[in-house]
Amino acid sequence: MQVRAKKQLGQHFLTDENIAGKIAQAIIDTRIQNVLEVGPGMGVLTKYLHEHIAQFKAIEIDKESVSYLSEYYPDLEVISGDFLKIDLSSMFEGEFAVVGNFPYNISSQIFFRVLENRNRTTSVVGMIQKEVAERIKEKEGNKTYGILSVLLQTFFDVEYLFTVHENVFSPPPKVKSAVIKLTRNQRAELPCNEALYFRLIKESFGQRRKMLRSSLKTYLTLLPNCKFSTQRPEQLSIDNFIELTLQVEQALNEKKAH
Ligand code: SAH
């Protein structure tokens, strides 16, 4: 089949059936019976998935792909739409998993949506740019540790499943790819204010080369003895960020009380 890629949609169609089967198997192994595929394209993953999952749905933005899938897989529930805009809470009753060979240009946004819906999204198996996959599983103390690593690892266990060479796609992307798996962890609720936790992480990594006393100045002037003041965000573990948030929260409350 000859396919013309639409660049702005991040279309790189997987041509290796063996890899498609492996990605599908990773989600089937979770035994989750509600699964949403993002960007099925011509259905290379879909055909390994839909018969094994009780409630399988796919969302695809490209109208041509949607008509192709509806013709070849008439029993399939294909939603014509944008994963970034769809209301995920009404998609399934209960928890669900997300799978896909993601459009790389929006992979970070896909993960932010997963984070917003983390109470219902228990697993993700996704093919993304290798570099992004490495960043997501990175630990503190490393240059590539960033917002997505901290936020996703706060709520999910991250596994790097395998690397995928660019020549198994049509057209081949310019970068190597990787498949990662996220599994919701035990941390249901944070012990600190969650909105503040997200804000401190985003603001500190927004100026990642600066020490926290300067990137988080508005908060840390309230905490002159904070042990994290002279550190950079990449040095803080998840527990450190939680501790920092608790300290800031307390200082803000005290300020309000006075
Ligand atoms: N799963 C297929 C296609 C992967 S390419 C395969 O492996 O061959 C990425 C797919 O995501 C394309 O089909 C593209 O049209 C679709 N896509 C891009 N942006 C999207 C969005 N916002 N919501 C849903 N699908 C999207």
Side-chain angles (χ1 to χ4, degrees):
M1 176 188 38
Q2 195 65 32
V3 284
R4 238 177 319 123
K6 300 191 183 76
K7 221 175 172 186
Q8 73 282 12
L9 297 180
Q11 291 182 331
H12 295 282
F13 298 98
L14 182 62
T15 57
D16 187 317
E17 297 290 336
N18 182 33
I19 292 172
K22 270 167 73 178
I23 297 173
Q25 198 55 47
I27 213 75
I28 292 166
D29 286 346
T30 67
R31 299 179 173 275
I32 297 170
Q33 288 304 311
N34 293 332
V35 174
L36 176 66
E37 184 183 355
V38 180
M42 300 291 149
V44 65
L45 296 177
T46 323
K47 67 169 177 274
Y48 291 101
L49 282 165
H50 73 112
E51 284 176 353
H52 299 279
I53 312 273
Q55 286 284 324
F56 179 83
K57 298 182 185 188
I59 177 156
E60 172 58 63
I61 204 167
D62 177 32
K63 297 230 157 47
E64 277 176 52
S65 299
V66 175
S67 6
Y68 175 90
L69 290 168
S70 314
E71 192 179 331
Y72 287 88
Y73 302 92
D75 297 333
L76 197 69
E77 184 167 349
V78 191
I79 301 154
S80 178
D82 184 343
F83 175 76
L84 300 179
K85 297 199 178 130
I86 193 112
D87 175 17
L88 286 174
S89 61
S90 60
M91 207 57 136
F92 296 101
E93 282 198 18
E95 298 175 338
F96 60 93
V98 172
V99 62
N101 167 15
F102 294 153
Y104 293 178
N105 50 337
I106 58 162
S107 59
S108 296
Q109 293 170 71
I110 291 174
F111 288 115
F112 279 110
R113 287 230 75 193
V114 165
L115 274 168
E116 285 165 23
N117 290 278
R118 64 182 177 275
N119 292 334
R120 308 178 116 237
T121 315
T122 45
S123 294
V124 180
V125 172
M127 178 134 65
I128 52 179
Q129 211 177 308
K130 180 171 187 266
E131 209 179 71
V132 179
E134 284 168 345
R135 250 192 277 147
I136 289 175
K137 66 148 198 187
E138 193 63 275
K139 293 288 179 201
E140 68 273 15
N142 293 291
K143 274 210 177 70
T144 52
Y145 179 70
I147 297 177
L148 265 187
S149 348
V150 185
L151 292 181
L152 285 172
Q153 288 175 39
T154 302
F155 301 105
F156 293 89
D157 295 332
V158 179
E159 287 168 78
Y160 184 101
L161 296 185
F162 52 89
T163 306
V164 183
H165 196 273
E166 52 269 39
N167 65 10
V168 301
F169 296 92
S170 165
K174 291 204 175 68
V175 290
K176 287 219 175 347
S177 302
V179 178
I180 61 162
K181 180 175 175 189
L182 308 183
T183 309
R184 193 74 175 77
N185 66 18
Q186 296 303 314
R187 208 184 258 122
E189 295 264 326
L190 292 182
C192 57
N193 180 298
E194 207 174 280
L196 185 62
Y197 178 77
F198 275 66
R199 204 179 322 137
L200 294 178
I201 290 165
K202 285 184 181 165
E203 287 184 20
S204 59
F205 279 107
Q207 304 184 62
R208 66 175 300 140
R209 276 194 295 266
K210 293 200 175 150
M211 291 182 194
L212 299 192
R213 68 173 176 216
S214 109
S215 56
L216 299 179
K217 198 171 172 182
T218 37
Y219 311 99
L220 290 194
T221 44
L222 303 171
L223 291 167
N225 299 319
C226 175
K227 66 177 180 193
F228 303 116
S229 293
T230 54
Q231 298 204 319
R232 292 179 174 81
E234 69 202 38
Q235 293 171 275
L236 272 66
S237 67
I238 287 162
D239 286 337
N240 291 155
F241 272 113
I242 291 175
E243 191 182 337
L244 173 70
T245 311
L246 283 168
Q247 288 179 18
V248 171
E249 207 177 322
Q250 199 184 354
L252 289 171
N253 284 337
E254 278 167 16
K255 192 181 157 202
K256 233 191 282 168
H258 285 126

